[in-house]
Amino acid sequence: MAFFGLVGNDQKLASTTYSDRESASERAARRRREGHHRSAAAADRQGQAWADAERARQDRGSRWRR
C-alpha cells in the first residue's frame, strides 16, 4: 500500500509542491493591507474635499457678516 508511505511527510510535500505559490494566510494579509490603503486614500480625498468646501463656504461669507 503506497498510501502509508505518504503519511507523515506533509510538510516536505507542501514545501516542494507549493513552493512558488502564496499561502492563503499571506494572501488574506496582503488583501487586508491593500484594502486599508485603498480606504485610507479615499478617506484622504474625502477629507480634502470637505476642507476645500469648508474654506469656500467661509470665504463666501453671508449677508450677516457683510
Side-chain angles (χ1 to χ4, degrees), residues 16-55:
T16 58
T17 305
Y18 303 109
S19 62
D20 58 341
R21 294 181 58 189
E22 184 179 35
S23 72
S25 58
E26 289 171 348
R27 183 173 57 243
R30 178 177 48 81
R31 287 181 176 174
R32 277 194 303 273
R33 286 191 305 271
E34 289 172 354
H36 168 72
H37 291 302
R38 275 194 304 273
S39 64
D44 184 45
R45 283 192 299 272
Q46 186 179 17
Q48 189 65 45
W50 177 86
D52 291 343
E54 184 68 12
R55 193 173 304 109

Side-chain angles (χ1 to χ4, degrees), residues 2-10 13:
F3 172 74
F4 290 111
L6 297 176
V7 175
N9 64 350
D10 292 341
L13 282 174

